[in-house]
């Protein structure tokens, strides 16, 4: 059974894309750059004003699983972590 790494297993980089979206910009390039930058064995915590469903499949193809939760202010925190074999 495959298991996703979590914050206890790996370093986490936080990326808040809400300011980009508020300016009308797409955060996809910034998110993909961050995934490349953090590299293997590390996780990326994305903060967004909505749940980014298309991103789940895109990052799954790169070996990442996710855990998503809505915060008290209505934003979403999505932890993308490498899937362990």
């Amino acid at each position: 059974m495959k298991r996703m790494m979590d914050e206890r297993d790996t370093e986490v980089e936080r990326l808040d894309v809400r300011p980009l979206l508020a300016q009308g910009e797409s955060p996809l390039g910034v998110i993909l750059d961050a995934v490349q930058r953090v590299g293997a064995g590390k996780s990326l915590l994305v903060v967004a004003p909505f749940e980014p469903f298309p991103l789940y499949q895109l990052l799954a193809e790169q070996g990442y699983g996710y855990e998503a939760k809505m915060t008290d202010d209505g934003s979403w925190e999505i932890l993308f972590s490498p899937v362990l074999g």
Side-chain angles (χ1 to χ4, degrees):
M1 177 178 193
K2 291 184 179 181
R3 169 177 97 74
M4 192 175 80
M5 295 178 84
D6 63 23
E7 291 178 82
R8 297 173 302 239
D9 298 325
T10 183
E11 293 178 41
V12 176
E13 180 173 325
R14 186 175 191 273
L15 177 62
D16 188 344
V17 298
R18 294 175 295 182
L20 287 172
L21 289 163
Q23 295 174 15
E25 297 178 33
S26 170
L28 182 59
V30 173
I31 293 169
L32 295 178
D33 287 347
V35 168
Q36 295 265 335
R37 185 176 58 253
V38 299
K42 297 181 182 176
S43 296
L44 178 65
L45 178 68
V46 175
V47 181
F50 54 84
E51 191 170 10
F53 291 107
L55 196 55
Y56 298 158
Q57 180 63 37
L58 186 62
L59 293 185
E61 293 170 2
Q62 297 184 35
Y64 285 82
Y66 70 92
E67 292 180 18
K69 69 176 182 177
M70 183 183 279
T71 63
D72 291 340
D73 69 358
S75 296
W76 284 85
E77 291 185 348
I78 308 94
L79 180 66
F80 292 98
S81 298
V83 175
L84 301 173

